[in-house]
Amino acid sequence: MSKQLPSVLSKHAITKYQLLFRHLFHCKHVERQLSSSWLSQQEAKQLLGISQAFTAAFGLRQRMLHFLFNIQHYMMFEVLEPNWHVLAQRLKAARSLDELLRDHSEFLDASLRECMLRDAVLLKLLAKLLTICVIFADHTRVVMADVARELDATSLAQRGAARRQQLAVLSAQVARAVADCRYTTYVRKLGAKFDDELRALLAELRKHGNEWNLANLYTRLDYNLYWSTSAGGA
């Protein structure tokens, strides 16, 4: 009976790849959810004076997207891509299957660690932040569905004084609907929670200042010292 050779893509290796890709895909999914919520709010741009009802939402969404863009950029271009190049060079120099398996395992372990999937505290903070983003996007989608029904129920004139009068009435109706569901208050509470969790993440990243990659991520998230100054608390 022939001896079975070990596989490079072992069960453990596949599990590690699944953890990495699941995390990356989840971040991209959350980003798409936030972008979709932004699109839904563009339908209300034609209304008069209603934009102030969504000011807090626009600001919070921008902070969330800044966080997501930088987390994804960090994982893709400061962790996975450099680590992959290192692995490719090591595989060229490998002289045995054992060396190949060792190099591949080190690549996966380094990628998991640097993507913060091996640190329980950092991973928990990331999960909380992503969850808040999803809650915000879902709540915005529900509210904007109600707004869309108000818009669809009204047939606006093409132009002139009649259209302006209709828009004024419709804007007042939408403003009341948004106020009744306390959307702005809810968004501000979510924003405060998101800001607190992001500050906690930055504080934890600061403890890893001796790791250059996490130090770079800290700098990107705290762009222009926004969170390190009083401006971040506004």
Side-chain angles (χ1 to χ4, degrees), residues 4 12 32 36 62 76 91 101 103 113 138 142-143 149 157 160 169 177 186-187 189 192 216:
Q4 185 177 6
H12 292 300
R32 290 174 65 88
S36 177
Q62 191 58 39
M76 292 294 296
L91 293 182
L101 293 172
D103 293 338
R113 183 179 66 255
D138 287 343
V142 171
V143 171
R149 280 192 289 272
V169 173
Y186 188 74
V187 166
K189 288 182 179 179
N216 283 350

Side-chain angles (χ1 to χ4, degrees), residues 36-141:
S36 177
S37 72
W38 176 84
L39 283 174
S40 69
Q41 288 186 316
Q42 300 311 296
E43 298 179 12
K45 287 180 66 176
Q46 61 180 319
L47 301 179
L48 306 174
I50 194 65
S51 61
Q52 61 185 359
F54 301 126
T55 299
F58 290 141
L60 176 57
R61 185 186 297 106
Q62 191 58 39
R63 298 199 299 278
M64 288 177 169
L65 287 173
H66 178 266
F67 160 73
L68 277 168
F69 288 153
N70 281 287
I71 286 290
Q72 291 179 89
H73 181 279
Y74 164 75
M75 291 190 295
M76 292 294 296
F77 301 109
E78 295 186 28
V79 175
L80 296 178
E81 185 174 352
N83 286 353
W84 179 259
H85 285 303
V86 171
L87 174 63
Q89 294 300 317
R90 289 183 175 179
L91 293 182
K92 290 179 181 178
R95 293 292 180 267
S96 67
L97 181 60
D98 288 338
E99 289 184 19
L100 185 148
L101 293 172
R102 181 201 62 204
D103 293 338
H104 185 237
S105 179
E106 289 178 356
F107 158 75
L108 288 172
D109 289 339
S111 297
L112 286 170
R113 183 179 66 255
E114 293 170 15
C115 283
M116 298 173 284
L117 297 178
R118 284 283 180 85
D119 188 303
V121 176
L122 288 173
L123 183 57
K124 185 176 181 179
L125 289 169
L126 284 173
K128 286 182 178 180
L129 286 163
L130 292 172
T131 299
I132 295 171
C133 291
V134 172
I135 293 173
F136 166 76
D138 287 343
H139 190 68
T140 298
R141 185 165 52 251

Side-chain angles (χ1 to χ4, degrees), residues 198-209:
L198 184 53
R199 289 191 188 95
L201 175 64
L202 290 171
E204 193 63 28
L205 288 174
R206 197 181 300 120
K207 297 177 183 178
H208 297 266

